Amino acid sequence: MIIRRLAAALTAAGLLSGALALTAFAREEADPWAEDTDGETEWLEEAEIVEAAEDDSKKDGGEEAEEGTPQAILDAAELTPSPAQSSELQELVDEILEDILEEEMGTYEKVRACYDYVTSTVSYGSHLRNLSAAVGDTTCADIYARYGEMEGFGAVALSAKTGMCNAYASAFLLLARSIGLDGHLVAGQTGRAGGGYTYHEWAEIDIGEETFLFDPQLEQDLVQAGFPAYTVFCRTYDEVPGRYLRSYRKL
């Protein structure tokens, strides 16, 4: 009832169209891990994930990264910075990047810093209930109404530090795009902790002719469940077989 009242209020205020409101709230109610956050990540084969993560951590530690590692892939990416359409939001993004990045960092280190920022500062919760959060002289609701889901929900995650899967991914993409990477929001399904699949959204970054997935919200759950960090960071779908059912690229 509270969700429906909020949707109606936002619609009446002109912040959401009826169709958009229903779609957004339906997505929130169906979001993965909303009920399965007990650490039982049965759908992941622990030995496989641990081996891959530990192998990458060893390779990433050297001065010259071995070909095919996340470090080598990201450091070789061509960069074309793409700022947010909202100037207020971009100011917030720039402030965050100034705090977490150093001039001597390579692209890999910068992207990892952005990923770490999202996974360490954002808590799982309703971004729709926090659209009133301020971003400079405006609000996340105004940014959402003017520029859509990625900027609106990403703004909530970066300002109010809360959100669901699409807010986590959007926040990461806002940071990554500002660095210069070709990032996109993707819709599909992911494996549930208790088995089967459920609706989910995550990030993709195109580098050359390949596409790599980044999933900060799922990453947070996996780390809390005891898995190594960066298990769903800069991975191809072949490297995590059966973990995702990709439907389409949203933005």
Side-chain angles (χ1 to χ4, degrees), residues 53-89:
E54 289 180 347
D55 190 45
D56 276 347
S57 66
K58 291 176 183 177
K59 293 176 181 176
D60 291 340
E63 292 183 4
E64 185 174 342
E66 184 177 334
E67 183 178 357
T69 62
Q71 183 177 354
I73 292 164
L74 287 166
D75 281 344
E78 293 185 12
L79 304 180
T80 304
S82 177
Q85 297 177 83
S86 166
S87 59
E88 293 90 350
L89 176 56

Short mmCIF file of all heavy atoms in Angstrom, two decimals, residues 53-89:
data_model
loop_
_atom_site.label_atom_id
_atom_site.label_comp_id
_atom_site.label_asym_id
_atom_site.label_seq_id
_atom_site.Cartn_x
_atom_site.Cartn_y
_atom_site.Cartn_z
N ALA A 53 39.41 -15.90 -8.90
CA ALA A 53 39.70 -14.65 -8.21
C ALA A 53 41.14 -14.61 -7.71
O ALA A 53 41.82 -13.59 -7.83
CB ALA A 53 38.73 -14.46 -7.05
N GLU A 54 41.60 -15.71 -7.13
CA GLU A 54 42.97 -15.75 -6.62
C GLU A 54 43.97 -15.64 -7.76
O GLU A 54 45.00 -14.99 -7.64
CB GLU A 54 43.19 -17.03 -5.82
CG GLU A 54 42.44 -17.04 -4.48
CD GLU A 54 42.68 -18.33 -3.72
OE1 GLU A 54 43.20 -19.29 -4.33
OE2 GLU A 54 42.33 -18.38 -2.53
N ASP A 55 43.67 -16.28 -8.88
CA ASP A 55 44.56 -16.23 -10.04
C ASP A 55 44.69 -14.80 -10.54
O ASP A 55 45.78 -14.32 -10.84
CB ASP A 55 44.02 -17.14 -11.14
CG ASP A 55 45.02 -17.32 -12.27
OD1 ASP A 55 46.20 -17.55 -11.97
OD2 ASP A 55 44.61 -17.24 -13.42
N ASP A 56 43.55 -14.10 -10.64
CA ASP A 56 43.57 -12.71 -11.10
C ASP A 56 44.34 -11.82 -10.14
O ASP A 56 45.06 -10.93 -10.55
CB ASP A 56 42.14 -12.17 -11.25
CG ASP A 56 41.54 -12.56 -12.60
OD1 ASP A 56 42.29 -13.01 -13.47
OD2 ASP A 56 40.32 -12.42 -12.75
N SER A 57 44.19 -12.04 -8.83
CA SER A 57 44.86 -11.18 -7.86
C SER A 57 46.37 -11.32 -7.97
O SER A 57 47.11 -10.35 -7.82
CB SER A 57 44.39 -11.53 -6.43
OG SER A 57 44.82 -12.82 -6.06
N LYS A 58 46.83 -12.52 -8.28
CA LYS A 58 48.27 -12.72 -8.44
C LYS A 58 48.78 -12.01 -9.69
O LYS A 58 49.81 -11.37 -9.68
CB LYS A 58 48.57 -14.23 -8.54
CG LYS A 58 48.34 -14.98 -7.24
CD LYS A 58 48.56 -16.46 -7.45
CE LYS A 58 48.26 -17.25 -6.17
NZ LYS A 58 48.41 -18.71 -6.39
N LYS A 59 48.01 -12.13 -10.78
CA LYS A 59 48.43 -11.53 -12.03
C LYS A 59 48.39 -10.02 -11.98
O LYS A 59 49.19 -9.33 -12.59
CB LYS A 59 47.54 -12.04 -13.17
CG LYS A 59 47.72 -13.52 -13.47
CD LYS A 59 46.73 -13.97 -14.53
CE LYS A 59 46.88 -15.46 -14.81
NZ LYS A 59 45.87 -15.95 -15.77
N ASP A 60 47.39 -9.49 -11.24
CA ASP A 60 47.23 -8.04 -11.19
C ASP A 60 48.31 -7.37 -10.36
O ASP A 60 48.47 -6.16 -10.40
CB ASP A 60 45.85 -7.68 -10.59
CG ASP A 60 44.72 -8.07 -11.54
OD1 ASP A 60 44.99 -8.23 -12.73
OD2 ASP A 60 43.59 -8.22 -11.06
N GLY A 61 49.03 -8.14 -9.57
CA GLY A 61 50.00 -7.53 -8.68
C GLY A 61 51.28 -7.10 -9.35
O GLY A 61 52.03 -6.29 -8.81
N GLY A 62 51.57 -7.63 -10.54
CA GLY A 62 52.82 -7.30 -11.21
C GLY A 62 52.77 -5.94 -11.87
O GLY A 62 51.71 -5.37 -12.08
N GLU A 63 53.95 -5.42 -12.25
CA GLU A 63 54.01 -4.12 -12.91
C GLU A 63 53.41 -4.19 -14.31
O GLU A 63 52.75 -3.27 -14.76
CB GLU A 63 55.48 -3.66 -12.98
CG GLU A 63 56.07 -3.33 -11.61
CD GLU A 63 57.48 -2.82 -11.73
OE1 GLU A 63 57.97 -2.66 -12.87
OE2 GLU A 63 58.11 -2.57 -10.70
N GLU A 64 53.68 -5.31 -15.01
CA GLU A 64 53.13 -5.47 -16.35
C GLU A 64 52.13 -6.62 -16.32
O GLU A 64 52.51 -7.77 -16.10
CB GLU A 64 54.24 -5.76 -17.35
CG GLU A 64 53.75 -5.82 -18.79
CD GLU A 64 54.88 -5.96 -19.77
OE1 GLU A 64 56.03 -5.68 -19.38
OE2 GLU A 64 54.63 -6.37 -20.91
N ALA A 65 50.86 -6.30 -16.54
CA ALA A 65 49.82 -7.31 -16.41
C ALA A 65 49.87 -8.30 -17.56
O ALA A 65 50.15 -7.95 -18.70
CB ALA A 65 48.46 -6.63 -16.37
N GLU A 66 49.59 -9.55 -17.24
CA GLU A 66 49.56 -10.59 -18.25
C GLU A 66 48.34 -10.39 -19.15
O GLU A 66 47.26 -9.98 -18.71
CB GLU A 66 49.48 -11.95 -17.57
CG GLU A 66 49.52 -13.13 -18.51
CD GLU A 66 49.52 -14.46 -17.76
OE1 GLU A 66 49.95 -14.47 -16.60
OE2 GLU A 66 49.06 -15.45 -18.36
N GLU A 67 48.49 -10.68 -20.42
CA GLU A 67 47.42 -10.51 -21.39
C GLU A 67 46.18 -11.29 -20.97
O GLU A 67 46.28 -12.45 -20.55
CB GLU A 67 47.88 -10.98 -22.76
CG GLU A 67 46.84 -10.78 -23.85
CD GLU A 67 47.35 -11.22 -25.21
OE1 GLU A 67 48.54 -11.62 -25.29
OE2 GLU A 67 46.56 -11.17 -26.17
N GLY A 68 45.04 -10.66 -21.08
CA GLY A 68 43.78 -11.32 -20.75
C GLY A 68 43.30 -11.09 -19.33
O GLY A 68 42.16 -11.45 -19.00
N THR A 69 44.12 -10.51 -18.46
CA THR A 69 43.68 -10.21 -17.10
C THR A 69 42.86 -8.91 -17.11
O THR A 69 42.99 -8.09 -18.03
CB THR A 69 44.87 -10.03 -16.16
OG1 THR A 69 45.66 -8.92 -16.61
CG2 THR A 69 45.73 -11.29 -16.13
N PRO A 70 42.02 -8.70 -16.10
CA PRO A 70 41.27 -7.44 -16.03
C PRO A 70 42.15 -6.21 -16.12
O PRO A 70 41.79 -5.22 -16.76
CB PRO A 70 40.57 -7.54 -14.67
CG PRO A 70 40.35 -9.01 -14.48
CD PRO A 70 41.61 -9.65 -15.04
N GLN A 71 43.33 -6.27 -15.50
CA GLN A 71 44.23 -5.12 -15.55
C GLN A 71 44.68 -4.83 -16.97
O GLN A 71 44.65 -3.67 -17.43
CB GLN A 71 45.45 -5.35 -14.65
CG GLN A 71 46.39 -4.14 -14.62
CD GLN A 71 47.56 -4.33 -13.68
OE1 GLN A 71 47.62 -5.32 -12.96
NE2 GLN A 71 48.48 -3.39 -13.67
N ALA A 72 45.11 -5.86 -17.69
CA ALA A 72 45.57 -5.66 -19.06
C ALA A 72 44.44 -5.19 -19.96
O ALA A 72 44.62 -4.31 -20.80
CB ALA A 72 46.17 -6.97 -19.60
N ILE A 73 43.26 -5.75 -19.77
CA ILE A 73 42.10 -5.39 -20.59
C ILE A 73 41.71 -3.93 -20.37
O ILE A 73 41.52 -3.17 -21.33
CB ILE A 73 40.92 -6.32 -20.25
CG1 ILE A 73 41.21 -7.75 -20.72
CG2 ILE A 73 39.62 -5.80 -20.87
CD1 ILE A 73 40.30 -8.79 -20.12
N LEU A 74 41.58 -3.53 -19.12
CA LEU A 74 41.14 -2.16 -18.82
C LEU A 74 42.20 -1.13 -19.14
O LEU A 74 41.89 -0.03 -19.65
CB LEU A 74 40.71 -2.06 -17.36
CG LEU A 74 39.38 -2.76 -17.03
CD1 LEU A 74 39.19 -2.92 -15.53
CD2 LEU A 74 38.21 -1.99 -17.63
N ASP A 75 43.46 -1.44 -18.87
CA ASP A 75 44.52 -0.48 -19.16
C ASP A 75 44.68 -0.23 -20.66
O ASP A 75 45.21 0.81 -21.06
CB ASP A 75 45.85 -0.96 -18.56
CG ASP A 75 45.93 -0.69 -17.07
OD1 ASP A 75 45.14 0.12 -16.56
OD2 ASP A 75 46.80 -1.30 -16.41
N ALA A 76 44.23 -1.18 -21.48
CA ALA A 76 44.34 -1.03 -22.93
C ALA A 76 43.12 -0.35 -23.55
O ALA A 76 43.11 -0.08 -24.75
CB ALA A 76 44.55 -2.40 -23.57
N ALA A 77 42.10 -0.07 -22.74
CA ALA A 77 40.85 0.49 -23.27
C ALA A 77 41.05 1.92 -23.76
O ALA A 77 41.76 2.72 -23.13
CB ALA A 77 39.77 0.45 -22.20
N GLU A 78 40.42 2.24 -24.88
CA GLU A 78 40.42 3.62 -25.36
C GLU A 78 39.37 4.40 -24.56
O GLU A 78 38.25 3.92 -24.36
CB GLU A 78 40.07 3.66 -26.85
CG GLU A 78 41.14 3.03 -27.73
CD GLU A 78 40.82 3.21 -29.21
OE1 GLU A 78 39.91 4.00 -29.54
OE2 GLU A 78 41.49 2.56 -30.02
N LEU A 79 39.73 5.59 -24.13
CA LEU A 79 38.86 6.36 -23.24
C LEU A 79 38.26 7.56 -23.94
O LEU A 79 38.96 8.35 -24.58
CB LEU A 79 39.66 6.82 -22.01
CG LEU A 79 40.34 5.72 -21.19
CD1 LEU A 79 41.09 6.33 -20.02
CD2 LEU A 79 39.32 4.69 -20.72
N THR A 80 36.94 7.68 -23.79
CA THR A 80 36.20 8.84 -24.29
C THR A 80 35.22 9.25 -23.20
O THR A 80 34.12 8.70 -23.11
CB THR A 80 35.45 8.52 -25.59
OG1 THR A 80 36.36 8.02 -26.57
CG2 THR A 80 34.76 9.76 -26.14
N PRO A 81 35.61 10.19 -22.33
CA PRO A 81 34.74 10.59 -21.21
C PRO A 81 33.35 11.04 -21.68
O PRO A 81 33.21 11.74 -22.67
CB PRO A 81 35.51 11.73 -20.56
CG PRO A 81 36.95 11.44 -20.90
CD PRO A 81 36.92 10.87 -22.29
N SER A 82 32.34 10.57 -20.94
CA SER A 82 30.95 10.92 -21.24
C SER A 82 30.28 11.40 -19.95
O SER A 82 29.90 10.59 -19.12
CB SER A 82 30.22 9.70 -21.80
OG SER A 82 28.86 9.98 -22.04
N PRO A 83 30.13 12.71 -19.78
CA PRO A 83 29.55 13.24 -18.54
C PRO A 83 28.04 13.01 -18.46
O PRO A 83 27.38 12.77 -19.47
CB PRO A 83 29.87 14.74 -18.63
CG PRO A 83 29.93 15.01 -20.10
CD PRO A 83 30.53 13.78 -20.71
N ALA A 84 27.51 13.08 -17.26
CA ALA A 84 26.07 12.99 -17.06
C ALA A 84 25.38 14.19 -17.69
O ALA A 84 25.97 15.27 -17.83
CB ALA A 84 25.75 12.93 -15.57
N GLN A 85 24.13 14.02 -18.09
CA GLN A 85 23.37 15.13 -18.67
C GLN A 85 23.04 16.18 -17.62
O GLN A 85 22.99 17.37 -17.91
CB GLN A 85 22.09 14.61 -19.30
CG GLN A 85 22.30 13.65 -20.45
CD GLN A 85 21.00 13.11 -20.99
OE1 GLN A 85 20.32 13.75 -21.80
NE2 GLN A 85 20.62 11.92 -20.53
N SER A 86 22.84 15.74 -16.38
CA SER A 86 22.56 16.66 -15.28
C SER A 86 23.87 17.28 -14.79
O SER A 86 24.77 16.57 -14.34
CB SER A 86 21.88 15.91 -14.13
OG SER A 86 21.91 16.69 -12.95
N SER A 87 23.97 18.58 -14.87
CA SER A 87 25.20 19.25 -14.43
C SER A 87 25.41 19.09 -12.92
O SER A 87 26.54 18.93 -12.46
CB SER A 87 25.16 20.74 -14.80
OG SER A 87 24.04 21.38 -14.21
N GLU A 88 24.31 19.08 -12.16
CA GLU A 88 24.41 18.90 -10.71
C GLU A 88 24.93 17.51 -10.38
O GLU A 88 25.78 17.33 -9.49
CB GLU A 88 23.07 19.13 -10.03
CG GLU A 88 22.55 20.56 -10.09
CD GLU A 88 21.71 20.81 -11.32
OE1 GLU A 88 21.67 19.94 -12.23
OE2 GLU A 88 21.07 21.88 -11.39
N LEU A 89 24.43 16.53 -11.10
CA LEU A 89 24.89 15.15 -10.88
C LEU A 89 26.35 15.00 -11.27
O LEU A 89 27.13 14.35 -10.57
CB LEU A 89 24.02 14.18 -11.66
CG LEU A 89 24.43 12.70 -11.61
CD1 LEU A 89 24.50 12.20 -10.17
CD2 LEU A 89 23.46 11.86 -12.42
#
